[in-house]
Amino acid sequence: MRCPFCHHADSRVIDSRDVEDGKATRRRRSCPECGRRFTTVEEAVLAVVKRSGVTEPFIRDKVVNGVRRACQGRPVGEDALQHLAHRVEESIRAGGAAEVPSHEVGLAILGPLRELDEVAYLRFASVYRSFSSIDDFEKEIADLRDAGAGQPPGASKPSDTE
């Protein structure tokens, strides 16, 4: 690491600590040339590979914005959207890959969104999975009903109260 003061090409790590729940590492460094100390923060970059082959950094706000459109007019708050995006990012990072296909990001969104709001899930899934007919919707709704039938007695879903 280059010293920001004298621009010497090397520095010595004095202390290292994980920050932001292990997503980044804070390092205290010392320059052997000028003796000054400085701090760096190193963060693992997560990249998304689009269908076109273009690679771009993972941006949590893109997840929030996409899900927000699906939740338009639904009783879903901003905190719930932020929490969903956080879960999606954690899920993707847990895979350990530095680059993930955009398809995997979409799959990581579907599960938490299904738990959050079934109508928003159907909206998102219809675009993400390119539904082409009413049969696609009917099949997905049947799957949602089958999954709901597996709930313990007395359990209610958010859509049951509306």
Side-chain angles (χ1 to χ4, degrees):
M1 171 61 66
R2 186 174 299 276
C3 174
F5 304 107
C6 71
H7 304 290
H8 184 67
D10 199 15
S11 63
R12 188 172 68 93
V13 175
I14 298 171
D15 182 41
S16 253
R17 296 180 189 198
D18 285 342
V19 292
E20 297 178 24
D21 297 326
K23 292 181 186 169
T25 303
R26 179 185 172 274
R27 298 193 196 280
R28 191 73 180 136
R29 296 177 177 270
S30 174
C31 176
E33 188 70 23
C34 69
R36 294 182 78 177
R37 293 182 176 193
F38 58 99
T39 302
T40 60
V41 177
E42 300 169 19
E43 188 174 20
V45 176
L46 179 61
V48 177
V49 181
K50 303 290 216 169
R51 286 184 214 143
S52 65
V54 174
T55 302
E56 62 181 44
F58 176 86
I59 301 169
R60 191 185 295 186
D61 286 341
K62 281 189 158 190
V63 172
V64 171
N65 291 335
V67 174
R68 184 181 290 125
R69 278 183 294 227
C71 293
Q72 192 169 4
R74 302 294 303 156
V76 177
E78 189 63 28
D79 287 345
L81 294 176
Q82 293 295 334
H83 180 70
L84 182 140
H86 179 72
R87 285 179 60 190
V88 168
E89 184 175 1
E90 281 184 339
S91 167
I92 292 169
R93 285 191 185 277
E99 291 185 346
V100 294
S102 59
H103 177 75
E104 286 185 28
V105 176
L107 289 175
I109 291 170
L110 286 173
L113 184 55
R114 186 174 183 165
E115 295 169 15
L116 181 64
D117 188 279
E118 290 177 340
V119 172
Y121 166 80
L122 277 174
R123 290 174 179 170
F124 189 88
S126 70
V127 174
Y128 177 71
R129 293 185 176 153
S130 303
F131 287 7
S132 58
S133 71
I134 197 163
D135 294 335
D136 294 334
F137 281 95
E138 288 174 345
K139 180 187 176 314
E140 199 63 43
I141 291 169
D143 289 347
L144 283 170
R145 285 191 175 127
D146 290 345
Q151 284 190 330
S156 67
K157 295 179 280 185
S159 61
D160 291 342
T161 60
E162 295 176 1

